[in-house]
Amino acid sequence: MTGGQRLILGIETSCDETAASVLLFENPGESPVSPRVLSDVVASQYDLHGRFGGVVPELASRRHVEMIEPVLRAALEDAGVSLGDIGAVAVTRGPGLVIALLVGLSAAKAIAWSRGIPLVGVHHLAGHIYSLFLGGSGPEETSGAAGGPPPFPHLALVVSGGHTDFYRVEGPGREVHLGGTLDDAVGEAYDKVAASMGLGYPGGPRVDELHAAFRASVRPGEEPVSLPRPYLEGKPYNFSFSGLKTAVLSYLRERGLYRDDPSLAPWARPGGMDAGEARALAAGFQEAAVEVLVEKADRAARAQRLRAVSVSGGVASNSHLRDSLARRAQASGWALHLPARRYCTDNAAMIACAGAFALVSGGEAPDYLALDADPAWELDSPGGVSVARKKGRRRG
Amino acid sequence: MPSGGRAWILGIDTSGAAGGLALLEREGETLAGRALDAGARSSRALMPALDLLLREAGVRREDLAAVGAATGPGTFTGLRIGLSTAKGLSLALGIPLYSVSSLEALALLAWRLRPKGEPPEWILPFRDARQGELFWARFEAPQAPGGLPRREGEDGVAEPSRIALPRGRTLAVGSDAALPPAWAAWVGVSHVALSTAAPAVARLAREALMRREPPAPPGLEPRYGREPRAMTQWGAPPGVDHGPSLT
């Protein structure tokens, strides 16, 4: 690829957001300079899954098929460009819900073929990692952003509903997986705890609010509910959140606040908790989860001898996590890099951005017509964002 | 073969156990086609097959005038891959997308391939709907050999024994399903099995284009024929469904 300006169309449908974005980037030959988001359209499905306390794959797939074209049209219109102006397509090809992935990938392949332009298959977590490089000047594009784009190498922690993973990011296409959760992702624990407390989906924002309310109204002697903090000594890059989640469930069950009965509708299982108790429990859960994330990030940065840490993914929009990370970064002397809040949750601008990096490092898929979704794709490759090596299958 | 001026209609059928693509002349009867791997596998096979089909036929992408997609009922994964691909083609090539009923396409193809002898009065396409049920629809056979079957009522989903069978000579056309045992005593039925109806999908899309029918809206969904289990297994979920919104 030669230098100059280029427009890239990003498409993301791996979970419960149908998203498309147009990104403008300059390519002087090494790395894409100041990618600029021209449009960033996200059709969220919270309305659909909220009552179930988590994503229902069949409902997600239906909504993706319905929304893919309206979202693509909106992204082009917002950017003020036509498909004829687009130089490449970047699409999430894994990991995620397989049918959901197939909707975006099918549309992406058809568009790239129709226009005769390259297509890049992007790893969803590469999207989160490269969300740190999204530039912008508007209030929404910058709100919450901290530290600017991280240097290479840096430590990347991706925290979301599906992932809690550490990477050593040497450069585009050189993301080394250090380790991740051995069971639940931290965002999954948030969602399950919130659902069990009857707080709705996604759980993070509500738990965050209740925790803040607890701190604002706390009286002397009042403590958050005490819950385990799984640090997994000897496994510096791994997490485990299922014990913490189960501890919350046990707390609720013992007090008759949650009926774990599969014959009951998900929305009929929680009930009867008073507001003060909900605040103390949310505070206890969030403080435990965040302390673990912050402590492990600090230890991982030290073990890797890295002085720059990026934290991205949906959970990175959590206020308590952001504040706690900032304090620890200052105390320990590493630089903290956070994406704008807008780019923490799933979006297609980050997919376009990772795609731009892949294009620059020669990662486009030459035979993309037969490209398939890979729901269990693992990002850990010496060979480029789009050609990450496949490892053993991991389910769930 | 003519190649100028948007002269071809593309038919995509990924709704059955086997899929297919068809390329039909806009004004003429030249037809080319390719079989496809079905269901989830059609994700890998669909675009390479399309690329090859056009190249073999000497047709350029810019020569496509419209795309027709079989939108069900059928296998959910296949329907989603086919329709998402068709939407991408329609958007990127700037051509209309027509949604074609899989059962209507089967009826038309069965009519065109009907067994010799006295023509049927009815055509009854059916397809496996799992859970012991069939998707089905009923069409009146055309009066003229070149005509189109005329739909009587909507697509249905039911156990075979509960489907009201037409009286009179009937051509039952199964895709992915043998003639159900419950229909064994049915007098006057002949049966053909077709795996893909891609040529008829292209034909029906061409009809829609010629009649200047409005193309499918961007938010078109497949004809699933069933409610998602999550929406029925615990009764109606509470709360208002606000519907999709863009941010």
Side-chain angles (χ1 to χ4, degrees):
Chain A
M1 206 178 81
T2 55
Q5 289 196 328
R6 199 160 176 185
L7 289 177
I8 186 163
L9 173 68
I11 301 175
E12 152 67 36
T13 61
S14 68
C15 191
D16 61 338
E17 338 264 4
T18 318
S21 164
V22 177
L23 193 77
L24 172 73
F25 70 99
E26 288 172 40
N27 173 31
E30 283 176 4
S31 65
V33 170
S34 54
R36 195 150 67 84
V37 181
L38 301 190
S39 66
D40 172 30
V41 177
V42 180
S44 173
Q45 304 182 353
Y46 293 162
D47 65 299
L48 203 56
H49 305 290
R51 58 203 121 178
F52 299 103
V55 177
V56 182
E58 172 62 17
L59 300 182
S61 303
R62 289 187 181 212
R63 183 63 71 77
H64 283 306
V65 179
E66 181 187 356
M67 293 309 291
I68 186 70
E69 192 180 346
V71 164
L72 282 163
R73 286 180 184 274
L76 292 165
E77 196 183 310
D78 285 3
V81 302
S82 80
L83 270 177
D85 304 321
I86 301 291
V89 180
V91 62
T92 310
R93 129 174 142 70
L97 302 170
V98 62
I99 311 294
L101 289 164
L102 284 173
V103 172
L105 183 64
S106 298
K109 287 198 286 184
I111 290 169
W113 177 85
S114 296
R115 307 301 318 176
I117 55 179
L119 179 136
V120 197
V122 173
H123 192 286
H124 183 76
L125 294 194
H128 282 303
I129 290 170
Y130 290 94
S131 69
L132 272 300
F133 294 85
L134 287 168
S137 49
E140 241 197 313
E141 294 165 297
T142 51
S143 170
F152 297 117
H154 67 267
L155 178 75
L157 172 60
V158 183
V159 282
S160 69
H163 307 276
T164 310
D165 287 283
F166 279 121
Y167 290 89
R168 181 184 175 92
V169 185
E170 297 280 351
R174 286 177 295 142
E175 301 85 11
V176 182
H177 189 226
L178 300 172
T181 183
L182 303 174
D183 40 58
D184 289 1
V186 61
E188 191 179 353
Y190 262 100
D191 288 338
K192 285 183 179 161
V193 162
S196 312
M197 293 173 68
L199 301 177
Y201 169 88
R206 291 287 291 121
V207 171
D208 204 12
E209 277 166 34
L210 285 176
H211 180 210
F214 176 85
R215 282 290 160 217
S217 65
V218 68
R219 283 184 290 270
E222 213 176 2
E223 289 291 329
V225 173
S226 173
L227 292 165
R229 282 151 173 73
Y231 289 111
L232 302 185
E233 300 299 338
K235 292 181 176 159
Y237 310 116
N238 292 113
F239 296 95
S240 168
F241 288 103
S242 83
L244 175 57
K245 173 195 72 185
T246 306
V248 173
L249 269 177
S250 304
Y251 176 95
L252 293 168
R253 272 200 221 101
E254 282 160 17
R255 287 161 183 76
L257 300 171
Y258 181 77
R259 288 175 294 167
D260 201 359
D261 177 355
S263 73
L264 287 175
W267 52 85
R269 292 171 205 168
M273 190 159 38
D274 77 53
E277 203 171 10
R279 286 197 295 266
L281 184 58
F285 169 76
Q286 172 144 299
E287 288 183 8
V290 164
E291 260 184 55
V292 169
L293 291 173
V294 171
E295 176 64 28
K296 303 274 310 193
D298 192 35
R299 291 184 195 178
R302 231 174 300 164
Q304 286 289 314
R305 298 174 189 281
L306 290 171
R307 304 189 61 78
V309 178
S310 79
V311 183
S312 59
V315 180
S317 62
N318 185 286
S319 310
H320 181 58
L321 176 61
R322 284 172 167 259
D323 295 345
S324 308
L325 282 166
R327 278 196 299 272
R328 181 64 68 94
Q330 198 164 28
S332 294
W334 37 265
L336 174 66
H337 302 266
L338 292 170
R341 275 205 172 76
R342 158 125 211 162
Y343 299 128
C344 288
T345 45
D346 288 354
N347 63 86
M350 69 183 197
I351 300 303
C353 192
F357 275 92
L359 276 172
V360 169
S361 61
E364 66 195 75
D367 56 345
Y368 68 79
L369 289 181
L371 205 62
D372 208 351
D374 186 347
W377 194 13
E378 292 190 20
L379 175 68
D380 184 357
S381 80
V385 177
S386 71
V387 287
R389 185 173 64 238
K390 264 169 130 173
K391 287 186 177 174
R393 293 265 148 183
R394 185 181 57 188
R395 290 283 161 216
Chain B
M1 216 173 271
S3 62
R6 302 217 177 247
W8 296 88
I9 316 294
L10 173 67
I12 300 177
D13 181 10
T14 51
S15 65
L21 295 172
L23 209 48
L24 177 68
E25 240 182 329
R26 181 176 178 157
E27 291 164 16
E29 284 303 309
T30 309
L31 183 72
R34 286 199 76 88
L36 270 183
D37 272 354
R41 281 169 298 158
S42 58
S43 155
R44 206 183 292 257
L46 179 53
M47 288 307 298
L50 176 57
D51 191 55
L52 209 56
L53 174 64
L54 263 72
R55 279 197 277 145
E56 283 175 353
V59 173
R60 299 171 306 169
R61 294 172 284 222
E62 312 81 76
D63 298 334
L64 294 177
V67 54
T71 49
T75 70
F76 288 6
T77 302
L79 289 173
R80 287 165 181 150
I81 292 167
L83 185 53
S84 303
T85 302
K87 285 183 173 187
L89 294 172
S90 159
L91 178 66
L93 294 169
I95 57 175
L97 163 65
Y98 293 104
S99 163
V100 174
S101 150
S102 296
L103 294 174
E104 195 164 338
L106 278 173
L108 173 58
L109 197 63
W111 168 252
R112 296 180 68 89
L113 301 174
R114 65 190 176 277
K116 287 196 168 54
E118 219 176 339
E121 296 159 78
W122 300 98
I123 308 170
L124 189 117
F126 62 94
R127 168 165 274 175
D128 188 7
R130 301 192 186 171
Q131 303 167 34
E133 295 185 318
L134 296 176
F135 293 121
W136 68 285
R138 177 167 148 162
F139 294 83
E140 197 182 320
Q143 301 300 313
L148 296 175
R150 204 165 58 89
R151 179 185 276 275
E152 290 233 326
E154 297 298 306
D155 294 349
V157 57
E159 288 172 29
S161 61
R162 304 179 70 91
I163 296 171
L165 301 170
R167 291 165 203 277
R169 287 186 312 280
T170 303
L171 178 60
V173 49
S175 152
D176 324 347
L179 202 63
W183 295 359
W186 185 16
V187 182
V189 65
S190 53
H191 171 238
V192 293
L194 298 170
S195 56
T196 173
V201 172
R203 211 168 275 283
L204 288 167
R206 183 174 73 175
E207 282 295 320
L209 181 69
M210 294 311 183
R211 285 199 303 264
R212 295 171 188 278
E213 282 180 20
L220 180 80
E221 291 192 82
R223 302 158 209 245
Y224 293 110
R226 286 192 188 280
E227 280 292 300
R229 194 162 161 267
M231 301 301 267
T232 56
Q233 75 179 117
W234 294 292
V240 183
D241 184 345
H242 300 289
S245 65
L246 304 185
T247 60

